[in-house]
Amino acid sequence: MPLTALILVARRTAAAEDSSQRIMDCFLIKGGRPLEGEVEISGAKNAVLPIMAAALLTAERCVIRRAPNLSDVRFMGEILKSLGAKAEFDGDTVTIEAAKIRGVGDYELIRKMRGSICILGPLIGRLGKAAVSLPGGCVIGARPIDLHLKGLAALGAKIDIDAGYIHATARALKGAELFLGGRSGPTVLGTGNVMMAAALADGVTRIESAACEPEVVDLADFLIAMGAKISGAGSPTITVTGVKSLHGAEHEVIPDRIETATFAVAAAATGGDVTINGSRPDHLYAVFDKLREAGVKIERSGPALKVTRRGRLKPVDITTLPYAGFPTDVQAQMMALMAVTPGISIITERIFESRFMHVSELARLGADIAIEGPSAIVKGGRPLSGAPVMASDLRASAALVIAGLAARGETRVNRVYHIDRGYERIDEKLRRLGAKIERMEGS
Ligand code: EPU
């Protein structure tokens, strides 16, 4: 077997071992204790993944700081390496050098992580050709990529789907005006893909109905640091004026707003008093608005947040929406909170059609939740009691951990590899806040 093939097999085996070991990990939680103390927020997973992909747009070295140590982030490193780039991790810094890269990604590697679709834009932008495996749907919904492809086609890419691969080719990408709104609103990674491809296109691209998420702004900031000409990121209209080439850059990733929200909800659910350091409270108005309505006290002091809940909680109705609305990535955690809140609350999911996998598992802990179309009707306030539960996806696992912390007795959360994809050392961080949570490895 040639050396490159051997290296690929070894990398795949290492990734498989890593994940198979984690598949067996579980958390044992002894609930009923209020969380108290301070917690530090890590860099944002959903910002760092497209930023790492953006490093493919230049042959020069890019240094990305505050990269969270997560399995998804390491996985993106493997994907970049499979394309020929160097990706080195040192603490929370990842250095990427994509001096010589190829446009064909490793089918199995890319297929495994949906977020890897964000290599498509940089590959077509830099090389004029890309072959990337089609990401599948996942438990939270079908997750089509039609808008990504529509956007790249508008820039002049010819797209074919064959044998499970998206093949995109373009002699020269050309700036264009395009509309990226879909049935559920804008697309976050789709906006990123088009922005990255347009950075090296000829002429001006105007993206209408662009996603406004802070992660899109962070990606735009990184691209600007690389020499791209982008304005309007954070608004529904983004303008990209193509440049001939991009250069290396250094960047610090924004704090993870979903991790911040998760700790705030956990503090509320346990009747705790938690100071959250190193966050961006200005990215979380919608979440804090609902938490305050529910009776949670939130005090801001610069990047620090103090979240306290002493009295009785009140039920709130929530509808998930694109930014700056209530984030779908906090819906499950909020449902766990409403499950311990006396009264009826209605939680409506408008972004992903089947993001309610946590409902049946919350029911094992005693939660009373009924699903009616896109809404979950939560009859809250019944005391939860610990039980073995199964994590189905990243945010569902966070909801189960929160419910376990609020429940009486012992909760065993199986398949915590889902939570390791998006929360850096969540068990350690919770332990420092006084939680009784242990990771049981491979049992
Ligand atoms: N959509 C389409 N066509 C497309 C793309 C999206 O119809 O071509 C639809 C989706 O099916 C969905 C909606 O548009 O109904 C929004 O999807 P979006 O494309 O914005 O999602 P994404 O970019 O694939 C990112 C995050 C998700 C987060 C969503 C929404 C990353 C790696 N993932 O996904 O994060 O839920 O934006 O904010 O950035 C998570 O962290 O747990 C997670 C799932």
Side-chain angles (χ1 to χ4, degrees):
M1 194 184 286
L3 184 61
T4 45
L6 270 175
I7 292 169
L8 268 181
V9 169
R11 272 189 201 139
R12 261 187 237 151
T13 313
E17 274 170 8
D18 187 38
S19 64
S20 67
Q21 206 174 15
R22 287 178 188 284
I23 284 169
M24 308 303 283
D25 283 8
C26 70
F27 284 159
L28 277 186
I29 303 169
K30 290 202 177 96
R33 281 176 180 73
L35 295 183
E36 273 163 8
E38 297 194 16
V39 63
E40 196 68 39
I41 294 306
S42 303
K45 168 187 80 95
N46 290 347
V48 76
L49 294 177
I51 285 174
M52 287 172 74
L56 292 170
L57 284 163
T58 176
E60 293 180 19
R61 204 163 65 113
C62 294
V63 179
I64 302 157
R65 303 195 196 285
R66 208 182 190 187
N69 182 6
L70 300 169
S71 55
D72 269 14
V73 176
R74 289 193 299 272
F75 206 75
M76 180 57 98
E78 290 306 315
I79 289 171
L80 299 185
K81 286 190 214 166
S82 79
L83 294 167
K86 284 187 194 150
E88 280 166 19
F89 292 86
D90 180 13
D92 68 354
T93 299
V94 51
T95 304
I96 298 166
E97 203 175 311
K100 249 187 134 185
I101 52 165
R102 52 185 162 268
V104 183
D106 178 328
Y107 188 88
E108 283 304 319
L109 210 49
I110 293 170
R111 193 181 60 88
K112 278 189 191 147
M113 186 174 74
R114 226 212 97 91
S116 56
I117 188 67
C118 60
I119 63 173
L120 187 59
L123 286 179
I124 181 85
R126 166 115 176 252
L127 304 174
K129 60 175 189 229
V132 172
S133 38
L134 266 173
C138 68
V139 295
I140 66 174
R143 307 194 74 177
I145 53 155
D146 55 312
L147 299 171
H148 298 239
L149 303 185
K150 175 184 163 187
L152 296 173
L155 299 181
K158 187 173 162 297
I159 314 256
D160 288 309
I161 310 280
D162 182 40
Y165 273 100
I166 307 158
H167 293 272
T169 45
R171 256 209 209 119
L173 292 177
K174 260 192 141 46
E177 280 189 7
L178 53 107
F179 178 77
L180 268 196
R183 229 167 21 118
S184 312
T187 161
V188 176
L189 290 176
T191 301
N193 255 333
V194 174
M195 216 164 55
M196 290 189 274
L200 289 178
D202 186 14
V204 179
T205 297
R206 190 178 149 116
I207 309 171
E208 284 297 347
S209 195
C212 302
E213 269 70 3
E215 293 76 16
V216 173
V217 179
D218 207 29
L219 173 62
D221 286 344
F222 178 58
L223 291 167
I224 292 166
M226 293 172 80
K229 293 207 164 76
I230 300 175
S231 62
S235 82
T237 307
I238 297 178
T239 306
V240 185
T241 305
V243 294
K244 288 263 173 292
S245 65
L246 296 174
H247 51 74
E250 295 203 10
H251 182 77
E252 182 173 307
V253 175
I254 52 167
D256 197 311
R257 65 193 167 104
I258 308 301
E259 187 195 21
T260 307
T262 301
F263 277 102
V265 174
T270 58
D273 182 346
V274 172
T275 299
I276 302 175
N277 293 320
S279 70
R280 282 283 301 264
D282 56 317
H283 290 164
L284 282 160
Y285 284 114
V287 173
F288 294 160
D289 192 53
K290 285 295 167 189
L291 284 175
R292 286 195 176 109
E293 199 183 321
V296 181
K297 194 167 159 196
I298 296 171
E299 294 157 285
R300 273 180 66 168
S301 161
L305 278 167
K306 191 170 155 59
V307 183
T308 327
R309 199 270 291 176
R310 289 292 177 233
R312 212 175 133 100
L313 287 161
K314 288 175 277 185
V316 290
D317 292 343
I318 291 164
T319 300
T320 64
L321 289 169
Y323 192 79
F326 194 94
T328 173
D329 292 344
V330 189
Q331 178 256 107
Q333 300 88 315
M334 207 62 184
M335 197 180 296
L337 180 66
M338 287 301 105
V340 297
T341 300
I344 295 177
S345 54
I346 299 174
I347 299 180
T348 304
E349 174 57 54
R350 291 272 179 230
I351 307 294
F352 292 113
E353 66 274 19
S354 45
R355 205 172 200 178
F356 280 140
M357 300 292 283
H358 39 285
V359 169
S360 53
E361 296 305 295
L362 288 171
R364 288 181 200 277
L365 302 175
D368 183 350
I369 306 170
I371 298 176
E372 300 256 352
S375 299
I377 295 140
V378 187
K379 289 186 191 152
R382 278 206 336 219
L384 301 184
S385 59
V389 288
M390 186 78 85
S392 56
D393 67 84
L394 170 57
R395 308 304 170 188
S397 352
L400 295 175
V401 168
I402 291 170
L405 292 170
R408 282 186 309 218
E410 188 173 281
T411 295
R412 182 190 173 105
V413 183
N414 292 306
R415 299 201 181 174
V416 296
Y417 67 93
H418 285 296
I419 211 162
D420 293 330
R421 287 187 37 225
Y423 290 91
E424 192 175 48
R425 296 175 288 106
I426 192 169
D427 43 337
E428 270 176 60
K429 289 189 184 186
L430 285 169
R431 261 197 306 278
R432 260 184 252 134
L433 294 172
K436 294 271 178 225
I437 177 169
E438 292 303 328
R439 179 185 291 265
M440 309 298 285
E441 279 182 20
S443 65

